[in-house]
Amino acid sequence: MSKVLVTGGAGFIGSHIVEELLNNNEQVVVIDNFSMGSMDNLPKSNQLTVVEGDISVRETISDLFQQNQFKKIFHLGAIASVAASVEDPLHTHQTNLEATLYLLEEARKQGGLERFVFASSAAVYGDEPTLPKKETSAIRPLTPYAIDKFASEQYVLAFSRLYDIPTAAVRFFNVFGNRQNPSSPYSGVVSILTDKFKQLMKKEETTFTLFGDGEQTRDFIYVKDVVQAVFLVSETSDAIGKVFNVGTGGSTSLNELIGLYEEITETTLPIEKKKERSGDIKESYSDISELKSLGFEPKFTMREGLLEYWNKEN
Ligand code: UD2
């Protein structure tokens, strides 16, 4: 039976995709170097094989394809930290771009692939101010992370045009949900807030550092809606050779987000305000008409997503 490969499958979004694939009775192979991911993120299943390995090592990828025949590939493995990419652009490039090319080349050699979905990011838009962000908006990648994501997208789409490999790319907006790692100050803000509210519940003293006035907005999307979007892109023939924003099309300010969380947890979060982060964008939200044309409709409001996340964490 043909298998499904999930790179970065032990990570935040990857593990949710793995879970859904297993629910659909697929035979799944995960490759992860466990730099951010964890075995604890993965369900126990005899349908699942986990390979500990680094996707930036060419032989690791070729071995993987020698041992397996894949029908679908979800490529989520990456150095996910923008800050880390600024610290070490070369290492980021090896993982975030070269690995994409290794996978595409192996997929080309193997033949018979039904879909290759590449996980890109809204970071490719940079500080391009036009709102909402459309797939056709100007691209202004400002960091090594964003540059490699954009370049990978272009390779992925080129492999569809040049070699007829059915690929597609998705640009994630601000994804939140359980298993997102809150450990760094550059972690997603919802995971940081969740951590703070958990401390409050344990009666521990804590303060949330708010950069700026809290009126900055983001298009936060709950991870289950992201899974829905990624599956549509992996199943619909209209998606081939295209790139899709994955957001809700809505926007929430940080102040609104904190307010919602205070309501859910019935606590007040102590806040320390600091000046806005350099490089921070003020507003961001997506135009998701392309994704909607595949049949996508977000199932979770911000509040519903937060509530489910909070209940899973507690
Ligand atoms: C996301 C990426 C970032 C870059 C950017 C491109 C994540 C986690 N971050 O940043 O790396 O790709 O998109 O658009 O994917 N904030 C606080 N206090 C905190 C943490 C965050 O006030 O402790 C603020 C932060 O300054 C920002 C907002 O919350 O204004 C959202 O922060 P974020 O890092 O979750 O997401 P974003 O979109 O700024």
Side-chain angles (χ1 to χ4, degrees):
M1 205 220 299
S2 222
K3 299 173 187 171
V4 180
L5 173 65
V6 184
T7 73
F12 163 43
I13 303 173
S15 65
H16 283 272
I17 289 172
V18 171
E19 209 177 305
E20 188 61 16
L21 287 166
L22 292 172
N23 287 341
N24 294 350
N25 213 23
E26 297 287 3
Q27 198 77 36
V28 183
V29 177
V30 161
I31 179 158
D32 205 296
N33 67 357
F34 296 99
S35 59
M36 288 291 285
S38 156
M39 216 44 202
D40 297 340
N41 287 342
L42 289 168
K44 304 262 170 299
S45 163
N46 52 17
Q47 304 266 103
L48 172 66
T49 310
V50 181
V51 177
E52 181 169 2
D54 203 317
I55 53 170
S56 67
V57 179
R58 180 98 177 86
E59 300 76 59
T60 306
I61 302 293
S62 44
D63 288 353
L64 205 57
F65 278 77
Q66 239 149 45
Q67 287 152 18
N68 301 281
Q69 172 85 18
F70 295 116
K71 61 174 180 182
K72 287 191 183 178
I73 299 174
F74 295 88
H75 177 29
L76 289 105
I79 290 175
S81 159
V82 175
S85 85
V86 174
E87 282 285 307
D88 193 348
L90 187 59
H91 181 229
T92 306
H93 181 73
Q94 284 156 350
T95 304
N96 289 11
L97 183 99
E98 287 180 14
T100 309
L101 206 44
Y102 297 157
L103 288 162
L104 288 168
E105 273 294 85
E106 290 299 332
R108 180 159 79 108
K109 267 197 264 167
Q110 178 202 267
L113 196 73
E114 290 169 25
R115 197 63 49 93
F116 184 114
V117 182
F118 172 65
S120 184
S121 163
V124 301
Y125 297 114
D127 59 359
E128 210 286 318
T130 319
L131 287 169
K133 315 270 188 194
K134 291 170 91 77
E135 291 85 350
T136 49
S137 296
I139 294 300
R140 210 183 307 181
L142 298 173
T143 57
Y145 173 83
I147 293 167
D148 283 328
K149 283 291 179 190
F150 184 62
S152 284
E153 277 183 12
Q154 293 300 306
Y155 271 116
V156 164
L157 302 182
F159 268 63
S160 166
R161 283 194 309 273
L162 300 172
Y163 313 116
D164 215 17
I165 295 170
T167 62
V170 283
R171 290 178 182 159
F172 295 145
F173 278 68
N174 292 66
V175 184
F176 71 96
N178 57 316
R179 306 188 203 126
Q180 189 173 30
N181 191 332
S183 61
S184 130
Y186 292 95
S187 297
V189 70
V190 186
S191 69
I192 295 175
L193 281 170
T194 305
D195 216 35
K196 298 287 173 194
F197 280 107
K198 275 190 190 169
Q199 288 167 8
L200 288 179
M201 290 296 144
K202 286 188 263 171
K203 308 271 180 240
E204 289 170 14
E205 262 193 47
T206 192
T207 310
F208 174 71
T209 308
L210 176 62
F211 300 111
D213 61 3
E215 285 306 299
Q216 62 267 52
T217 62
R218 294 291 183 273
D219 187 342
F220 295 103
I221 175 166
Y222 187 50
V223 68
K224 281 196 180 166
D225 277 329
V226 169
V227 171
Q228 185 208 152
V230 170
F231 270 67
L232 276 172
V233 170
S234 77
E235 284 163 356
T236 319
S237 55
D238 277 352
I240 294 172
K242 294 187 189 149
V243 55
F244 297 87
N245 283 340
V246 174
T248 64
S251 79
T252 307
S253 73
L254 226 49
N255 290 332
E256 284 169 323
L257 173 62
I258 293 165
L260 276 173
Y261 234 149
E262 288 183 329
E263 228 177 86
I264 288 171
T265 58
E266 295 175 348
T267 44
T268 306
L269 180 68
I271 290 174
E272 181 199 7
K273 282 200 179 174
K274 285 203 177 150
K275 117 175 164 352
E276 69 173 55
R277 257 186 200 169
S278 77
D280 244 19
I281 50 171
K282 184 77 185 164
E283 288 178 285
S284 157
Y285 68 97
S286 62
D287 177 310
I288 54 165
S289 32
E290 285 289 334
L291 193 60
K292 282 189 163 173
S293 76
L294 304 181
F296 177 78
E297 204 51 64
K299 293 200 165 63
F300 292 82
T301 61
M302 183 77 216
R303 191 176 197 288
E304 288 164 345
L306 265 188
L307 189 61
E308 187 173 295
Y309 177 22
W310 179 248
N311 288 334
K312 277 182 191 286
E313 291 286 315
N314 289 280

